[in-house]
Amino acid sequence: DLAAQALYEFTWNDFCDWFLELAKPALAGTDTASAQSTRTTLLTVLEATLRLLHPLMPFVTEEIWFASAPRLGVAASREAGDSISVRPWPGAAEFAGDHAGAAADIEWLKAIVAQLRRIRSEMNVSPARRVSLMLADGNASDRQRMATFEPSLRFLAKVESVDWLEGDAEPPPAAAGVVGGLRVLIPLAGLIDLDAERARLRRELARIAAEVAKCEAKLESDTFVANAPAAVVATERSRLVDWQSQHATLAAQLARLE
């Protein structure tokens, strides 16, 4: 059951949802090398995922494997007796490498997209409507990631333009989200009701305040600090700092709108 759930979440959420969406600009673009690289990655991951799923879903995985494996140069002939069932079980060594940096970059992109989609949903802005994006604060890593992922962000979140606020420049009235130390702003002019945005920020501040209170309650408990593993306590302290930072940023945004 645990294996099936892990495979389901990877196949549906990571592969079919995020990666297929991220692949579309490259597949539809004019850069043939990028398109071929993306296509190869899609097929490689699909073929390995089919082998992982085969014991749980034997028939459909066999059919899809016969259609996809030959594209990777893998022998897949029913007449020759080939079958996914006799292919090697995927192992970690098959995909060896240091992927932590790439994973962190994609999680950052997903967090930005999630913030923009949340703002759209709460403000009742159509998912098809293109919006302007302003970015403030953040660090060198945020700027580097944005330079890398701006085309993907424009595609995934229907972003029309991306601008950085420099120095002490004041942003226009905007709906705000926070990713780490980066402020994500959608200017509100001609887009939504300012009263509605102020109400949304108050709700979000209340939610974050509740999370801050939970973290503080745990860390103020002598039982928790004494008995929980050191790593768990450190994680809770890190979460508290993050929630407090988000609260301060959104409180400042609300003050500007008021």
Side-chain angles (χ1 to χ4, degrees), residues 17-148:
D17 185 355
W18 284 103
F19 189 59
L20 281 180
E21 288 299 305
L22 287 167
K24 287 178 181 178
L27 295 175
T30 57
D31 187 336
T32 54
S34 176
Q36 183 56 38
S37 172
T38 302
R39 194 173 292 113
T40 299
T41 301
L42 281 164
L43 284 166
T44 301
V45 176
L46 174 61
E47 196 273 339
T49 303
L50 290 170
R51 284 185 280 143
L52 286 166
L53 286 168
H54 183 65
L56 303 169
M57 303 168 60
F59 302 110
V60 68
T61 50
E62 177 94 342
E63 289 301 315
I64 299 173
W65 182 80
F66 272 115
S68 57
R71 298 171 183 263
L72 289 170
V74 177
S77 167
R78 286 187 172 89
E79 292 74 18
D82 297 320
S83 170
I84 189 175
S85 63
V86 295
R87 289 279 294 153
W89 180 258
E94 191 174 339
F95 302 94
D98 184 4
H99 307 302
D105 288 345
I106 292 298
E107 289 303 317
W108 177 90
L109 174 61
K110 288 164 67 175
I112 297 285
V113 172
Q115 287 286 339
L116 295 178
R117 288 177 176 173
R118 178 184 58 79
I119 291 171
R120 280 180 179 275
S121 174
E122 293 179 355
M123 296 284 89
N124 292 318
V125 177
S126 167
R129 183 171 180 177
R130 292 198 167 273
V131 297
S132 299
L133 173 62
M134 302 189 80
L135 302 166
D137 304 330
N139 53 33
S141 176
D142 291 317
R143 289 179 178 264
Q144 183 178 4
R145 285 167 167 167
M146 183 55 67
T148 300

Side-chain angles (χ1 to χ4, degrees), residues 209-221 236 240 244:
E211 295 294 339
V212 169
K214 288 179 190 175
C215 290
E216 289 177 339
K218 282 186 179 181
L219 293 171
E220 289 170 1
S221 167
E236 199 64 29
L240 175 60
Q244 288 173 332

